[in-house]
Structures are given as C-alpha cells and as structure tokens.
C-alpha cells in the first residue's frame, strides 16, 4: 500500500514553572542535539543550592518519540501487505518527528552566535553528520552490494537528514527570534518549498524547509504551553482524537501516497497539481500539531524506568538505522513470510522498540561518544573570555 517515490527521537518532577523562565542554557553537545543535558555543577556551588536537574517530562517524551520512530521504520516493509500496518505507519509518521523537532526547537531558544555555542553546534551536530554520513555510505556499499555508491556531504542518506536540518534550523534561530510572526512566516516558507521542485536534494532542503514550522513552533513555546496539554480534559480528549486519526488513516491507506508524510518532495515530484502544496502543507501541519499535543498529554511527568534513556535518544536514532536498512538489504522481510502475519508484526514491533532502547543506554553512549560528542579542543582557538576565567582561577 505504501506508494513512496523513493523508499528509504519516584518523585514527581514538575515541568518548569508557569511564569516565564529564562531560556535554558545549552551546556553540552548533547544539548545542541536537542537533548538538554544539564552541565555538571561548578566546584563553587553555594551551600544549600541544588544543582540543575533534567526535566523528566522531556526525557520521557524524547525516549517515547524515538521508540515510535524505530517502530515506524520496522513497519515500513509490512505496509504493502497489511492495511493495519499502513494505518499505524501513517498515524505515527504524522507526529513522531514533529514531536522530536518541537522539543529540539524548545531547547534551542537560548542559542545565539556565542563562540562556545557555535563550538558545540559544530562538535555536536556537524561532526557527527560527517561521521555518520561516511558510515552509512560504507554500510550501503557493503550491505547493499553497491560498491559504486558515491559519498556526498550534500546528499544526506537516510537518517542523517535530521542532523543537517538541525544545524540549519539552529543557525537560523536568531532570525526567528527577531521577526514578529515567526510561525506563520515559517509556514509560508514551507508552503513555497512544497511547490518548488527546483530545490533539489542538496542538503535535503525540502525536508529542512517543510519541517521548519515545527522547529519554529518549539522556539516560540513557553513552559505554560506544556502545562496546558497536561490538563486532564486534554488528556481524555486525546483518546477519541487518536482513535479518529487511526480510523481515518485506515480509510486513507489505499488512497493516499504515504510520501506526503516524509516532507521530502515537492508536489510536482509527487505527481500532484501545484494547488495541493498549500492545502497539504497546512492540513498536515494542523494534524501534526493536534497529534503532537495528544502525544505530550500522555507523556509521564514523573521519573520512569526509561527516563534516563532520554539523554541518549540521538544515539538510538542514528544507530538503529543500520539495522533498519540492513533488514531490507538482507531480505529478512522477504525470506520470512510469517513476519507479515499479525504475530510477526507484533514481534517486529517489540524487537524494534527493544533494539532502540538498548541503543539509548549509557554503555552504548560511552562506546560511541567519540563520534557523537567529540571534544575537539585542538580544533578551536581558545575564547578570550575563557582564557581570562582560566587565569583568574589559577591566580586564586
């Protein structure tokens, strides 16, 4: 059914207070990837003052979103023979990446062109992009028996599009903080992109521009917005909304091209008339916002067994792609027909959720930190302000 033109995250921990809080300071490379890791406390923390802690709500949301990403990738080979799998696939694709992008935008609010933040942008996003783009290229050459597949930093392959998109979005943050109507303006940009086939595939700009409104919406959100979707009436209203979305997806599965949800092509490339660009852009944005709100409404606010894994979602996102693509290259879904039966679909779902969970764990983070969070102090000039602080510390 999938008709893609190019087949291919104890005690209650409350959200930030409702009052407008100062934008969080990105204090690690993990933060620059949308993972808001708090910096270790300075040695001179005043007595009685607690060090800054992570918010369990956002860690839970990121973990659950990345699990949905992995499950959707596992469902993709099943959608041609299962209408139910196609309906689940389309429903999840409507909101899983938008939710992840909204969180990334929310934790990018304090980004500016300060040297230390630019360094983290390079080491936490640009360098991992280069490393994983190379790794995926070599993997495709080997696993897909395609030794001539070209390496290109301008043509992100599979999951690496998100890194280049996050790099561009974050660099544009000062602009969106400056303009008066950022979300409508970003929607206008996305609409124009959807009817511009000449944009091409360089840096996957179609996705960068068409997903842009979700990042900008995250930039504009305040703590009280997350409090609003946590209200009991919103939580219970989200249940019938989710069921209606799934029922509509079941109806639309054989009638709609699922490539619309990838935001990877212009309407002309999808074989649709130009007027559908604005209509589908606004319609999908509205549906995504509603389902993202429903998703946030049910994200736990307290510490769960998986809360700590929220710090490693970018690891799980990038690493699970090797298994997701490998399963297609090696024909697992073709060799084992039982995977297309209900029990097989459930098994595939459980395996996908389990694998991405393992890939978010601290041991995996430690093993791949050299690629995801390289320090690279040798590559940068020392900031004069940092040098002054260093001299002051030494003198004291």
């Amino acid at each position: 059914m999938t008709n893609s033109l190019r087949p291919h995250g104890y005690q209650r921990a409350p959200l930030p207070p409702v009052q407008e809080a100062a934008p969080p300071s990105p204090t690690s490379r993990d933060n620059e990837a949308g993972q808001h890791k708090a910096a270790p406390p300075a040695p001179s923390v005043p007595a009685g003052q607690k060090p800054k802690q992570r918010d369990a709500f956002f860690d839970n949301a990121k973990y659950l979103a990345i699990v949905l990403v992995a499950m959707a990738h596992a469902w993709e080979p099943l959608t041609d023979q299962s209408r139910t799998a196609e309906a689940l696939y389309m429903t999840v694709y409507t909101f899983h990446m938008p939710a992840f992008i909204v969180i990334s935008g929310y934790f990018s609010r304090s980004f500016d062109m300060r040297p230390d933040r630019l360094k983290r942008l390079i080491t936490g996003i640009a360098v991992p992009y280069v490393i994983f783009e190379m790794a995926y290229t070599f993997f495709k050459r080997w696993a897909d028996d395609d030794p001539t597949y070209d390496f290109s930093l301008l043509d992100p392959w599979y999951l690496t599009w998100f890194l280049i998109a996050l790099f561009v979005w974050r660099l544009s943050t000062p602009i969106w903080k400056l303009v008066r109507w950022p979300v409508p303006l970003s929607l206008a940009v996305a609409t124009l992109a959807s009817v511009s086939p000449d944009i091409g595939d360089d840096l996957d700009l179609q996705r960068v521009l068409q997903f842009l409104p979700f990042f900008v919406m995250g930039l504009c959100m305040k703590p009280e917005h997350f409090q609003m979707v946590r209200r009991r009436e919103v939580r219970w209203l989200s249940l019938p909304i989710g069921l209606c979305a799934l029922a509509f997806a079941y109806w639309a599965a054989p009638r709609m091209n699922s490539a619309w949800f990838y935001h990877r092509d212009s309407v002309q490339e999808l074989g649709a008339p130009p007027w559908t660009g604005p209509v589908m852009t606004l319609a999908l944005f509205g549906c995504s916002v509603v389902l993202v709100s429903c998703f946030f409404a049910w994200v736990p606010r307290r510490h769960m067994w998986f809360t700590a894994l929220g710090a490693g979602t970018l690891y799980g996102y990038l690493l699970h792609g090797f298994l997701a693509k490998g399963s297609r290259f090696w024909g697992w879904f073709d060799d084992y027909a039982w995977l297309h039966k209900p029990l097989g679909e459930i098994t595939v779902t459980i395996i996908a959720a389990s694998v991405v969970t393992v890939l978010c764990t601290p041991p995996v983070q430690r093993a791949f930190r050299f690629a995801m969070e390289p320090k690279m102090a040798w590559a940068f000039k020392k900031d004069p302000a940092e040098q002054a602080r260093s001299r002051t510390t030494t003198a004291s």
Side-chain angles (χ1 to χ4, degrees):
M1 296 178 188
T2 302
N3 185 22
S4 171
L5 296 184
R6 289 181 293 178
H8 25 276
Y10 324 128
Q11 288 185 337
R12 176 176 291 273
L15 286 171
V18 174
Q19 292 81 8
E20 175 64 17
S25 173
T27 53
S28 70
R29 284 173 293 276
D30 209 22
N31 184 356
E32 288 302 325
Q35 300 198 13
H36 76 287
K37 181 184 290 184
S44 58
V45 174
Q49 179 178 340
K50 294 183 179 180
K52 185 177 180 180
Q53 296 181 344
R54 298 176 66 94
D55 192 313
F57 171 81
F58 292 106
D59 277 335
N60 292 338
K62 288 186 297 178
Y63 168 77
L64 294 174
I66 210 64
V67 167
L68 289 172
V69 169
M71 291 194 304
H73 287 157
W75 293 336
E76 184 180 349
L78 307 173
T79 56
D80 289 334
Q81 300 181 27
S82 172
R83 187 170 178 177
T84 300
E86 175 79 347
L88 287 169
Y89 180 81
M90 293 173 65
T91 303
V92 170
Y93 253 83
T94 306
F95 72 90
H96 67 354
M97 283 310 296
F100 211 87
I101 295 169
V102 166
I103 295 173
S104 298
Y106 181 75
F107 284 98
S108 298
R109 295 177 301 161
S110 62
F111 180 82
D112 53 27
M113 297 300 176
R114 211 172 69 185
D116 60 329
R117 289 172 178 161
L118 289 175
K119 290 178 186 177
R120 287 192 291 270
L121 183 65
I122 294 171
T123 58
I125 297 180
V127 173
Y129 169 72
V130 174
I131 292 174
F132 275 88
E133 185 64 28
M134 294 178 62
Y136 272 124
T137 298
F138 288 122
F139 178 75
K140 179 171 172 57
R141 289 180 177 181
W142 167 68
D144 198 26
D145 194 19
D146 185 10
T148 62
Y149 185 79
D150 291 330
F151 167 74
S152 174
L153 287 179
L154 295 180
D155 188 14
W157 190 72
Y158 198 36
L159 302 179
T160 55
W161 74 268
F162 179 70
L163 291 178
I164 200 65
L166 189 57
F167 185 86
V168 174
W169 293 334
R170 191 155 282 159
L171 282 178
S172 71
T173 294
I175 297 176
W176 302 111
K177 292 164 65 177
L178 178 67
V179 298
R180 181 169 294 180
W181 301 291
V183 174
L185 181 58
S186 65
L187 274 171
V189 171
T191 299
L192 291 174
S194 70
V195 294
S196 303
D198 293 335
I199 288 179
D201 295 328
D202 288 351
L203 299 181
D204 227 342
L205 281 179
Q206 278 289 356
R207 271 178 167 160
V208 172
L209 298 178
Q210 291 193 39
F211 275 113
L212 174 64
F214 299 105
F215 182 82
V216 175
M217 186 173 72
L219 285 175
C220 298
M221 292 185 71
K222 298 180 174 63
E224 51 263 35
H225 294 134
F226 292 98
Q227 295 283 6
M228 289 172 60
V229 299
R230 291 293 307 173
R231 292 184 300 181
R232 179 175 299 179
E233 55 268 30
V234 176
R235 178 178 298 181
W236 291 112
L237 185 61
S238 67
L239 293 177
I241 291 176
L243 291 175
C244 289
L246 188 59
F248 180 80
Y250 189 85
W251 171 85
R255 300 174 173 85
M256 183 177 179
N257 186 346
S258 59
W260 284 106
F261 298 96
Y262 307 152
H263 298 285
R264 187 180 57 196
D265 304 290
S266 66
V267 293
Q268 293 90 340
E269 292 170 304
L270 292 174
W275 64 266
T276 59
V279 172
M280 290 300 293
T281 298
L282 296 176
L284 287 175
F285 178 76
C287 292
S288 297
V289 169
V290 171
L291 291 183
V292 166
S293 300
C294 294
F295 170 72
F296 284 149
W298 283 96
V299 171
R301 292 174 60 180
R302 65 184 184 278
H303 283 272
M304 309 291 290
W305 64 266
F306 53 79
T307 300
L309 302 180
T313 49
L314 199 60
Y315 289 80
Y317 174 78
L318 290 172
L319 293 173
H320 91 277
F322 293 101
L323 184 58
K325 275 298 183 183
S327 67
R328 304 297 301 277
F329 294 153
W330 300 321
W332 292 352
F333 288 89
D334 299 325
D335 295 340
Y336 302 99
W338 68 273
L339 292 177
H340 297 269
K341 305 297 182 181
L343 181 59
E345 294 172 353
I346 294 173
T347 302
V348 167
T349 302
I350 294 173
I351 291 175
S354 301
V355 167
V356 79
T357 296
V358 171
L359 294 177
C360 292
T361 57
V364 175
Q365 294 180 48
R366 288 193 294 269
F368 289 93
R369 186 162 287 133
F370 73 95
M372 296 293 299
E373 302 179 72
K375 294 181 180 179
M376 296 182 62
W378 53 268
F380 302 103
K381 297 178 180 178
K382 199 163 185 179
D383 183 41
E386 185 178 345
Q387 288 179 324
R389 288 194 298 270
S390 178
R391 286 194 297 268
T392 302
T393 303
T394 304
S396 61

